Amino acid sequence: MPIDTDVDTFAAMRPLPASVTHLVVGAGFAGLGTAIRLDRAGETDFAVIEKDAGVGGTWRANTYPGAACDVPSQLYSFSFAPNPDWSRSFSPQPEIDAYLQRVARESGVLDRFWFDTTMEEARYDAEAQRWVVRTSRGEVTATTLVTGTGGLSEPRLPDIDGIEDFAGEVFHSARWNHDVDLTGKRVAVIGTGASSIQIVPEVAKVVGHLDVYQRTAPWVIPRSDRRYTRLERLLLRRVPAVRRVYRTATYWGRESYVPAFTRLPRLAAPARRAALLNIARGIPDPALRARVTPDYTIGCKRILISNTYYPALARDHVDLVTDPIARVTADAVVTADGVERPVDVLVVATGFHATEQPIAERVRGRDGRSLAQVWADGGMAAYKGTTVHGFPNLFQLVGANTTLGHSSMVFMIESQIAYVLGAIATMRANRYAAVEPRRDAQDAWNRDLQRRLRRTVWSTGGCASWYLDAHGRNTVVWPRHTFTFRSLLSRFDVDAYEVEAARTDERIT
Ligand code: N01
């Protein structure tokens, strides 16, 4: 029976095995990619658990109007599963979701996926040299635990007085309620980040009135998006070399942005000019132009791309509100200046828990402490963004300091998957049951990262962003070229690890 990635009765009823060699958590790009690469490497004894009902991760969760990728399509696919079907240079969310569904179906790994299955706690049993993982579907033990739970999967809800008493509909951008018809309604969108600027132009088309609550203005440059011509689509489908040329050119084009973020902010001057021109083109009113013009260095927060955001703000029935929100009542948002704006539907586009990830509370290492406890003082930290001292055989995809502002996370994820496969091959070859990065290796890695980060625009640009944790440390962004990351992770450097031999024959060997 074919297994659909969505609801499938047979798949839904299968019991989770009590024991596997590799347990993968999450079925987005990271988890799916890991499953496929494990399978191709002959590591077929794995299970993937996913809290949602199908593959897709963030691209399944974010279905808000206007959702699309701000990384060019040609870079937004696995290198081992090209997509000849992109219709545009920047893909809309449904195409990315469809791509992931197709890759999942065609890869032959879905028989080892368990959907609607949440990881409740993972504890490393040092005696047994195994991870013991409690899930909503029972317990499973595994030699390795690979987490692909996403850097931006847990919505951050704003701590606004009275919001829980709001009597209308309220939902987060990543939990869009499609049952709510916005036609003719009074709608408020809180936040002006990457999600909001895609939502606002779409919602503005149908609502009666829209208030957009801006705390900090984003830098928004034009979106150089277009439909591929028929000829291009034909060539991209039929001639793999054309696809490779597009992908390679896009990759190097994106890498050329890195110095502007890391060392030479003046290289961002053309982007700044383009953003100011974008404002001038989209907004006729000088007062509104001034309010949307950021007062910090471009690049400090993620640079956003849109051709439709500013024109939407300029529409008669759309108001940009920059006075801070004081409270929410049963039917209105009240700002600090005392103005009360009635609202039927509240859209909360306030981002995600990026620096304090909920999964960190649930993963406990060899001494029983959770990642959250270990990171409480110094912030999120890993070795090569992937492994963590005190947590043997834990591999975190999209771990600390692996996120990008300029290019495709799929590239980073694939670099990490190769590293995980290298670790597994090393364990097999040497009959190791456990590998754990040495504290000195991890500390040296992070000292170097933090030293590099200090001079980047993310630290010096004069803004607050979700890249920085409560201590002001950037524990999110990779501050170098992506090819450097790939090169540094190209070989599993076992000399940076403490290793343990298998105590019984049942281990990974
Ligand atoms: O979230 P954000 P996002 N009261 O954190 C504001 C990826 N992504 O979901 O800037 C009022 O960027 C907050 O204000 P401030 C991408 O990596 C990609 O939009 O903190 N406002 C900000 O304006 C992106 O960077 C794509 O002052 C409050 C907004 O809410 C990341 O996801 C699409 C507030 C949050 O912006 C996150 O984007 C979408 C409060 N209490 C997302 N709290 C594509 O590829 C927060 N804000 C296209």
Side-chain angles (χ1 to χ4, degrees), residues 166 169 181-189 203 206-211 213 317 319 331-332 340-347:
F166 182 65
E169 294 289 342
D181 180 7
L182 299 181
T183 313
K185 299 257 171 68
R186 294 191 67 98
V187 176
V189 175
V203 162
V206 297
V207 298
H209 183 86
L210 177 62
D211 289 320
Y213 288 86
H317 69 304
D319 283 335
D331 58 1
E340 188 166 329
R341 293 178 178 81
V343 58
D344 305 316
V345 180
L346 202 50
V347 175

Side-chain angles (χ1 to χ4, degrees), residues 1-8 11 53-54 101 105 110 115:
M1 164 168 24
I3 295 180
D4 188 357
T5 69
D6 277 298
V7 183
D8 179 287
Q101 304 282 337
R105 267 195 314 274
L110 280 174
F115 297 116

